[in-house]
mmCIF file of all heavy atoms in Angstrom:
data_model
loop_
_atom_site.group_PDB
_atom_site.id
_atom_site.type_symbol
_atom_site.label_atom_id
_atom_site.label_comp_id
_atom_site.label_asym_id
_atom_site.label_seq_id
_atom_site.Cartn_x
_atom_site.Cartn_y
_atom_site.Cartn_z
ATOM 1 N N GLU A 1 91.518 -18.534 -24.729
ATOM 2 C CA GLU A 1 90.141 -18.247 -24.458
ATOM 3 C C GLU A 1 89.302 -19.572 -25.098
ATOM 4 O O GLU A 1 88.216 -19.867 -24.355
ATOM 5 C CB GLU A 1 89.740 -17.007 -25.162
ATOM 6 C CG GLU A 1 90.140 -15.760 -24.628
ATOM 7 C CD GLU A 1 89.558 -15.624 -23.097
ATOM 8 O OE1 GLU A 1 88.366 -15.503 -22.973
ATOM 9 O OE2 GLU A 1 90.385 -15.786 -22.237
ATOM 10 N N ARG A 2 89.843 -20.055 -26.107
ATOM 11 C CA ARG A 2 89.088 -21.241 -26.655
ATOM 12 C C ARG A 2 89.192 -22.513 -25.568
ATOM 13 O O ARG A 2 88.318 -23.143 -25.382
ATOM 14 C CB ARG A 2 89.696 -21.698 -27.995
ATOM 15 C CG ARG A 2 88.855 -22.833 -28.663
ATOM 16 C CD ARG A 2 89.417 -23.039 -30.071
ATOM 17 N NE ARG A 2 88.655 -24.165 -30.616
ATOM 18 C CZ ARG A 2 87.434 -23.983 -31.248
ATOM 19 N NH1 ARG A 2 86.942 -22.803 -31.395
ATOM 20 N NH2 ARG A 2 86.850 -25.092 -31.888
ATOM 21 N N ALA A 3 90.333 -22.631 -25.031
ATOM 22 C CA ALA A 3 90.569 -23.622 -24.022
ATOM 23 C C ALA A 3 89.731 -23.366 -22.777
ATOM 24 O O ALA A 3 88.993 -24.260 -22.257
ATOM 25 C CB ALA A 3 92.018 -23.799 -23.580
ATOM 26 N N PHE A 4 89.660 -22.102 -22.445
ATOM 27 C CA PHE A 4 88.813 -21.640 -21.319
ATOM 28 C C PHE A 4 87.319 -21.923 -21.497
ATOM 29 O O PHE A 4 86.589 -22.387 -20.790
ATOM 30 C CB PHE A 4 89.042 -20.229 -20.946
ATOM 31 C CG PHE A 4 88.438 -19.638 -19.766
ATOM 32 C CD1 PHE A 4 89.158 -19.631 -18.530
ATOM 33 C CD2 PHE A 4 87.009 -19.206 -19.652
ATOM 34 C CE1 PHE A 4 88.587 -19.275 -17.408
ATOM 35 C CE2 PHE A 4 86.469 -18.804 -18.516
ATOM 36 C CZ PHE A 4 87.283 -18.847 -17.339
ATOM 37 N N ALA A 5 86.912 -21.538 -22.826
ATOM 38 C CA ALA A 5 85.509 -21.779 -23.131
ATOM 39 C C ALA A 5 85.138 -23.265 -23.151
ATOM 40 O O ALA A 5 84.101 -23.744 -22.844
ATOM 41 C CB ALA A 5 85.176 -21.154 -24.496
ATOM 42 N N HIS A 6 86.107 -24.081 -23.681
ATOM 43 C CA HIS A 6 85.923 -25.553 -23.749
ATOM 44 C C HIS A 6 85.677 -26.102 -22.365
ATOM 45 O O HIS A 6 84.717 -26.930 -22.142
ATOM 46 C CB HIS A 6 87.079 -26.200 -24.444
ATOM 47 C CG HIS A 6 86.972 -27.729 -24.601
ATOM 48 N ND1 HIS A 6 86.186 -28.267 -25.640
ATOM 49 C CD2 HIS A 6 87.379 -28.657 -23.899
ATOM 50 C CE1 HIS A 6 86.161 -29.586 -25.590
ATOM 51 N NE2 HIS A 6 86.796 -29.914 -24.444
ATOM 52 N N TYR A 7 86.511 -25.767 -21.318
ATOM 53 C CA TYR A 7 86.510 -26.424 -20.128
ATOM 54 C C TYR A 7 85.564 -25.817 -19.088
ATOM 55 O O TYR A 7 85.043 -26.413 -18.227
ATOM 56 C CB TYR A 7 87.954 -26.462 -19.499
ATOM 57 C CG TYR A 7 88.768 -27.446 -20.266
ATOM 58 C CD1 TYR A 7 89.852 -26.979 -21.035
ATOM 59 C CD2 TYR A 7 88.535 -28.897 -20.048
ATOM 60 C CE1 TYR A 7 90.665 -27.969 -21.772
ATOM 61 C CE2 TYR A 7 89.322 -29.756 -20.776
ATOM 62 C CZ TYR A 7 90.350 -29.303 -21.558
ATOM 63 O OH TYR A 7 91.253 -30.188 -22.296
ATOM 64 N N LEU A 8 85.385 -24.379 -19.199
ATOM 65 C CA LEU A 8 84.490 -23.737 -18.292
ATOM 66 C C LEU A 8 83.343 -23.099 -18.883
ATOM 67 O O LEU A 8 82.415 -22.582 -18.101
ATOM 68 C CB LEU A 8 85.366 -22.639 -17.557
ATOM 69 C CG LEU A 8 86.368 -23.175 -16.548
ATOM 70 C CD1 LEU A 8 87.316 -21.971 -16.101
ATOM 71 C CD2 LEU A 8 85.535 -23.566 -15.276
ATOM 72 N N GLY A 9 83.347 -23.013 -20.164
ATOM 73 C CA GLY A 9 81.978 -22.547 -20.953
ATOM 74 C C GLY A 9 81.698 -21.100 -20.497
ATOM 75 O O GLY A 9 82.506 -20.188 -20.414
ATOM 76 N N ASN A 10 80.410 -20.920 -20.287
ATOM 77 C CA ASN A 10 79.965 -19.520 -19.988
ATOM 78 C C ASN A 10 78.954 -19.571 -18.748
ATOM 79 O O ASN A 10 78.079 -18.943 -18.577
ATOM 80 C CB ASN A 10 79.059 -19.054 -21.157
ATOM 81 C CG ASN A 10 79.009 -17.459 -21.260
ATOM 82 O OD1 ASN A 10 79.880 -16.868 -20.638
ATOM 83 N ND2 ASN A 10 78.063 -16.957 -21.826
ATOM 84 N N GLY A 11 79.416 -20.575 -17.839
ATOM 85 C CA GLY A 11 78.627 -20.750 -16.607
ATOM 86 C C GLY A 11 79.068 -19.853 -15.481
ATOM 87 O O GLY A 11 79.709 -18.881 -15.669
ATOM 88 N N VAL A 12 78.547 -20.214 -14.315
ATOM 89 C CA VAL A 12 78.865 -19.308 -12.985
ATOM 90 C C VAL A 12 80.259 -19.282 -12.803
ATOM 91 O O VAL A 12 80.875 -18.254 -12.505
ATOM 92 C CB VAL A 12 77.999 -19.867 -11.855
ATOM 93 C CG1 VAL A 12 78.457 -19.106 -10.655
ATOM 94 C CG2 VAL A 12 76.565 -19.830 -12.161
ATOM 95 N N SER A 13 81.039 -20.398 -12.804
ATOM 96 C CA SER A 13 82.437 -20.298 -12.454
ATOM 97 C C SER A 13 83.191 -19.525 -13.406
ATOM 98 O O SER A 13 84.260 -18.888 -13.192
ATOM 99 C CB SER A 13 83.003 -21.789 -12.469
ATOM 100 O OG SER A 13 82.405 -22.516 -11.358
ATOM 101 N N ALA A 14 82.889 -19.637 -14.714
ATOM 102 C CA ALA A 14 83.478 -18.709 -15.754
ATOM 103 C C ALA A 14 83.268 -17.238 -15.464
ATOM 104 O O ALA A 14 84.290 -16.551 -15.497
ATOM 105 C CB ALA A 14 83.041 -19.188 -17.157
ATOM 106 N N ALA A 15 82.074 -16.926 -15.145
ATOM 107 C CA ALA A 15 81.761 -15.526 -14.904
ATOM 108 C C ALA A 15 82.557 -15.015 -13.636
ATOM 109 O O ALA A 15 83.030 -13.965 -13.586
ATOM 110 C CB ALA A 15 80.252 -15.418 -14.671
ATOM 111 N N VAL A 16 82.595 -15.920 -12.537
ATOM 112 C CA VAL A 16 83.230 -15.534 -11.311
ATOM 113 C C VAL A 16 84.746 -15.367 -11.693
ATOM 114 O O VAL A 16 85.370 -14.448 -11.169
ATOM 115 C CB VAL A 16 82.991 -16.581 -10.258
ATOM 116 C CG1 VAL A 16 83.931 -16.359 -9.053
ATOM 117 C CG2 VAL A 16 81.603 -16.503 -9.937
ATOM 118 N N PHE A 17 85.356 -16.229 -12.340
ATOM 119 C CA PHE A 17 86.815 -16.156 -12.735
ATOM 120 C C PHE A 17 86.999 -14.848 -13.471
ATOM 121 O O PHE A 17 88.029 -14.217 -13.067
ATOM 122 C CB PHE A 17 87.153 -17.444 -13.536
ATOM 123 C CG PHE A 17 88.684 -17.379 -13.728
ATOM 124 C CD1 PHE A 17 89.546 -18.059 -12.896
ATOM 125 C CD2 PHE A 17 89.268 -16.806 -14.812
ATOM 126 C CE1 PHE A 17 90.921 -18.088 -13.117
ATOM 127 C CE2 PHE A 17 90.582 -16.744 -15.071
ATOM 128 C CZ PHE A 17 91.501 -17.483 -14.257
ATOM 129 N N LYS A 18 86.192 -14.546 -14.447
ATOM 130 C CA LYS A 18 86.471 -13.351 -15.249
ATOM 131 C C LYS A 18 86.374 -12.195 -14.373
ATOM 132 O O LYS A 18 87.287 -11.150 -14.494
ATOM 133 C CB LYS A 18 85.527 -13.224 -16.390
ATOM 134 C CG LYS A 18 85.448 -14.309 -17.412
ATOM 135 C CD LYS A 18 86.895 -14.281 -18.242
ATOM 136 C CE LYS A 18 86.853 -15.289 -19.298
ATOM 137 N NZ LYS A 18 87.994 -15.279 -20.144
ATOM 138 N N ALA A 19 85.504 -12.127 -13.466
ATOM 139 C CA ALA A 19 85.366 -10.961 -12.561
ATOM 140 C C ALA A 19 86.547 -10.896 -11.682
ATOM 141 O O ALA A 19 87.090 -9.851 -11.369
ATOM 142 C CB ALA A 19 84.022 -11.076 -11.647
ATOM 143 N N ALA A 20 86.920 -12.049 -11.076
ATOM 144 C CA ALA A 20 88.025 -12.090 -10.148
ATOM 145 C C ALA A 20 89.369 -11.677 -10.845
ATOM 146 O O ALA A 20 90.224 -10.888 -10.175
ATOM 147 C CB ALA A 20 88.271 -13.551 -9.566
ATOM 148 N N LEU A 21 89.651 -12.009 -12.080
ATOM 149 C CA LEU A 21 90.746 -11.556 -12.732
ATOM 150 C C LEU A 21 90.691 -9.967 -13.062
ATOM 151 O O LEU A 21 91.891 -9.429 -12.928
ATOM 152 C CB LEU A 21 90.741 -12.240 -14.251
ATOM 153 C CG LEU A 21 92.091 -12.137 -14.988
ATOM 154 C CD1 LEU A 21 93.287 -12.686 -14.211
ATOM 155 C CD2 LEU A 21 91.952 -12.902 -16.264
ATOM 156 N N ARG A 22 89.535 -9.408 -13.156
ATOM 157 C CA ARG A 22 89.470 -7.952 -13.339
ATOM 158 C C ARG A 22 89.774 -7.189 -12.162
ATOM 159 O O ARG A 22 90.438 -6.080 -12.203
ATOM 160 C CB ARG A 22 88.039 -7.605 -13.804
ATOM 161 C CG ARG A 22 87.737 -7.826 -15.233
ATOM 162 C CD ARG A 22 86.500 -7.263 -15.694
ATOM 163 N NE ARG A 22 86.306 -7.193 -17.045
ATOM 164 C CZ ARG A 22 85.536 -6.405 -17.787
ATOM 165 N NH1 ARG A 22 84.833 -5.495 -17.126
ATOM 166 N NH2 ARG A 22 85.440 -6.504 -19.037
ATOM 167 N N ILE A 23 89.545 -7.735 -11.035
ATOM 168 C CA ILE A 23 89.726 -6.902 -9.709
ATOM 169 C C ILE A 23 91.142 -6.531 -9.395
ATOM 170 O O ILE A 23 91.462 -5.406 -9.260
ATOM 171 C CB ILE A 23 89.008 -7.693 -8.567
ATOM 172 C CG1 ILE A 23 87.459 -7.685 -8.768
ATOM 173 C CG2 ILE A 23 89.361 -6.951 -7.217
ATOM 174 C CD1 ILE A 23 86.628 -8.468 -7.725
ATOM 175 N N PRO A 24 92.034 -7.561 -9.385
ATOM 176 C CA PRO A 24 93.461 -7.165 -9.127
ATOM 177 C C PRO A 24 94.121 -6.407 -10.304
ATOM 178 O O PRO A 24 95.089 -5.841 -10.219
ATOM 179 C CB PRO A 24 94.139 -8.460 -8.960
ATOM 180 C CG PRO A 24 93.285 -9.531 -9.614
ATOM 181 C CD PRO A 24 91.852 -8.931 -9.391
ATOM 182 N N ASN A 25 93.442 -6.520 -11.543
ATOM 183 C CA ASN A 25 94.005 -5.848 -12.698
ATOM 184 C C ASN A 25 94.047 -4.345 -12.489
ATOM 185 O O ASN A 25 94.719 -3.678 -13.376
ATOM 186 C CB ASN A 25 93.115 -6.342 -13.937
ATOM 187 C CG ASN A 25 93.769 -7.437 -14.591
ATOM 188 O OD1 ASN A 25 94.732 -8.034 -14.196
ATOM 189 N ND2 ASN A 25 93.162 -7.873 -15.735
ATOM 190 N N PHE A 26 93.327 -3.879 -11.581
ATOM 191 C CA PHE A 26 93.325 -2.368 -11.423
ATOM 192 C C PHE A 26 94.779 -2.008 -11.107
ATOM 193 O O PHE A 26 95.268 -0.807 -11.390
ATOM 194 C CB PHE A 26 92.457 -1.921 -10.279
ATOM 195 C CG PHE A 26 92.957 -1.983 -8.891
ATOM 196 C CD1 PHE A 26 93.662 -0.969 -8.389
ATOM 197 C CD2 PHE A 26 92.719 -3.268 -8.187
ATOM 198 C CE1 PHE A 26 94.197 -1.090 -7.017
ATOM 199 C CE2 PHE A 26 93.202 -3.234 -6.809
ATOM 200 C CZ PHE A 26 94.019 -2.234 -6.291
ATOM 201 N N LEU A 27 95.524 -2.907 -10.296
ATOM 202 C CA LEU A 27 96.988 -2.569 -10.066
ATOM 203 C C LEU A 27 97.706 -2.507 -11.292
ATOM 204 O O LEU A 27 98.531 -1.542 -11.473
ATOM 205 C CB LEU A 27 97.474 -3.701 -9.116
ATOM 206 C CG LEU A 27 98.905 -3.482 -8.549
ATOM 207 C CD1 LEU A 27 98.887 -2.196 -7.717
ATOM 208 C CD2 LEU A 27 99.252 -4.698 -7.679
ATOM 209 N N GLN A 28 97.593 -3.452 -12.172
ATOM 210 C CA GLN A 28 98.258 -3.378 -13.522
ATOM 211 C C GLN A 28 97.952 -2.150 -14.252
ATOM 212 O O GLN A 28 98.896 -1.594 -14.855
ATOM 213 C CB GLN A 28 98.086 -4.611 -14.233
ATOM 214 C CG GLN A 28 98.791 -4.826 -15.671
ATOM 215 C CD GLN A 28 98.315 -5.880 -16.425
ATOM 216 O OE1 GLN A 28 97.457 -6.646 -16.019
ATOM 217 N NE2 GLN A 28 98.802 -5.996 -17.612
ATOM 218 N N ASN A 29 96.668 -1.802 -14.449
ATOM 219 C CA ASN A 29 96.301 -0.710 -15.105
ATOM 220 C C ASN A 29 96.705 0.633 -14.506
ATOM 221 O O ASN A 29 96.903 1.645 -15.199
ATOM 222 C CB ASN A 29 94.823 -0.810 -15.417
ATOM 223 C CG ASN A 29 94.388 -1.910 -16.274
ATOM 224 O OD1 ASN A 29 94.974 -2.142 -17.210
ATOM 225 N ND2 ASN A 29 93.313 -2.634 -15.897
ATOM 226 N N LEU A 30 96.791 0.748 -13.197
ATOM 227 C CA LEU A 30 97.163 1.956 -12.541
ATOM 228 C C LEU A 30 98.609 2.154 -12.698
ATOM 229 O O LEU A 30 99.096 3.258 -12.923
ATOM 230 C CB LEU A 30 96.716 1.837 -11.073
ATOM 231 C CG LEU A 30 95.396 2.253 -10.737
ATOM 232 C CD1 LEU A 30 95.255 2.230 -9.110
ATOM 233 C CD2 LEU A 30 94.917 3.577 -11.181
ATOM 234 N N PHE A 31 99.356 1.177 -12.476
ATOM 235 C CA PHE A 31 100.921 1.308 -12.537
ATOM 236 C C PHE A 31 101.633 0.679 -13.697
ATOM 237 O O PHE A 31 102.812 0.711 -13.732
ATOM 238 C CB PHE A 31 101.529 0.667 -11.156
ATOM 239 C CG PHE A 31 100.985 1.323 -9.940
ATOM 240 C CD1 PHE A 31 101.244 0.676 -8.769
ATOM 241 C CD2 PHE A 31 100.544 2.635 -9.946
ATOM 242 C CE1 PHE A 31 100.852 1.280 -7.567
ATOM 243 C CE2 PHE A 31 100.220 3.193 -8.750
ATOM 244 C CZ PHE A 31 100.383 2.554 -7.551
ATOM 245 N N GLY A 32 100.870 0.059 -14.589
ATOM 246 C CA GLY A 32 101.507 -0.710 -15.651
ATOM 247 C C GLY A 32 101.747 0.157 -16.902
ATOM 248 O O GLY A 32 102.118 1.268 -16.903
ATOM 249 N N GLU A 33 101.534 -0.494 -18.028
ATOM 250 C CA GLU A 33 102.200 -0.038 -19.314
ATOM 251 C C GLU A 33 101.569 1.426 -19.705
ATOM 252 O O GLU A 33 102.242 2.310 -20.007
ATOM 253 C CB GLU A 33 101.886 -0.939 -20.471
ATOM 254 C CG GLU A 33 102.263 -0.396 -21.811
ATOM 255 C CD GLU A 33 101.834 -1.375 -22.935
ATOM 256 O OE1 GLU A 33 101.065 -2.377 -22.682
ATOM 257 O OE2 GLU A 33 101.797 -0.838 -24.053
ATOM 258 N N GLY A 34 100.199 1.641 -19.448
ATOM 259 C CA GLY A 34 99.672 2.786 -19.783
ATOM 260 C C GLY A 34 100.229 4.052 -19.176
ATOM 261 O O GLY A 34 100.474 4.970 -19.572
ATOM 262 N N VAL A 35 100.497 3.770 -17.804
ATOM 263 C CA VAL A 35 101.014 4.770 -16.881
ATOM 264 C C VAL A 35 102.499 5.133 -17.232
ATOM 265 O O VAL A 35 102.911 6.304 -17.403
ATOM 266 C CB VAL A 35 100.810 4.556 -15.399
ATOM 267 C CG1 VAL A 35 101.550 5.500 -14.535
ATOM 268 C CG2 VAL A 35 99.260 4.509 -15.175
ATOM 269 N N LEU A 36 103.246 4.008 -17.410
ATOM 270 C CA LEU A 36 104.694 4.187 -17.688
ATOM 271 C C LEU A 36 104.946 4.764 -19.039
ATOM 272 O O LEU A 36 105.732 5.464 -19.299
ATOM 273 C CB LEU A 36 105.316 2.806 -17.541
ATOM 274 C CG LEU A 36 105.430 2.324 -16.048
ATOM 275 C CD1 LEU A 36 106.087 0.891 -16.146
ATOM 276 C CD2 LEU A 36 106.095 3.238 -15.167
ATOM 277 N N SER A 37 103.987 4.433 -20.039
ATOM 278 C CA SER A 37 104.092 5.019 -21.246
ATOM 279 C C SER A 37 103.813 6.575 -21.276
ATOM 280 O O SER A 37 104.501 7.284 -21.989
ATOM 281 C CB SER A 37 103.049 4.404 -22.249
ATOM 282 O OG SER A 37 103.398 3.028 -22.511
ATOM 283 N N GLY A 38 103.052 7.073 -20.267
ATOM 284 C CA GLY A 38 102.777 8.425 -20.190
ATOM 285 C C GLY A 38 103.616 9.262 -19.347
ATOM 286 O O GLY A 38 103.787 10.388 -19.425
ATOM 287 N N SER A 39 104.553 8.625 -18.564
ATOM 288 C CA SER A 39 105.342 9.135 -17.515
ATOM 289 C C SER A 39 106.790 8.878 -17.699
ATOM 290 O O SER A 39 107.755 9.747 -17.801
ATOM 291 C CB SER A 39 104.927 8.978 -16.074
ATOM 292 O OG SER A 39 104.883 7.532 -15.844
ATOM 293 N N PHE A 40 107.152 7.612 -17.664
ATOM 294 C CA PHE A 40 108.564 7.135 -17.726
ATOM 295 C C PHE A 40 109.169 7.209 -19.104
ATOM 296 O O PHE A 40 110.259 7.686 -19.165
ATOM 297 C CB PHE A 40 108.491 5.659 -17.060
ATOM 298 C CG PHE A 40 109.805 4.999 -17.230
ATOM 299 C CD1 PHE A 40 111.016 5.563 -16.674
ATOM 300 C CD2 PHE A 40 110.065 3.803 -17.969
ATOM 301 C CE1 PHE A 40 112.184 4.921 -16.816
ATOM 302 C CE2 PHE A 40 111.220 3.177 -18.069
ATOM 303 C CZ PHE A 40 112.425 3.736 -17.456
#
């Protein structure tokens, strides 16, 4: 995060990247550790 803050700061590209990372993360959160911990 420090490297990310150094090179991308808190500007538009940083905000877009953080949002973009969250969108496919629904797949990890739906099928990932939390779900397998409760079922598998």
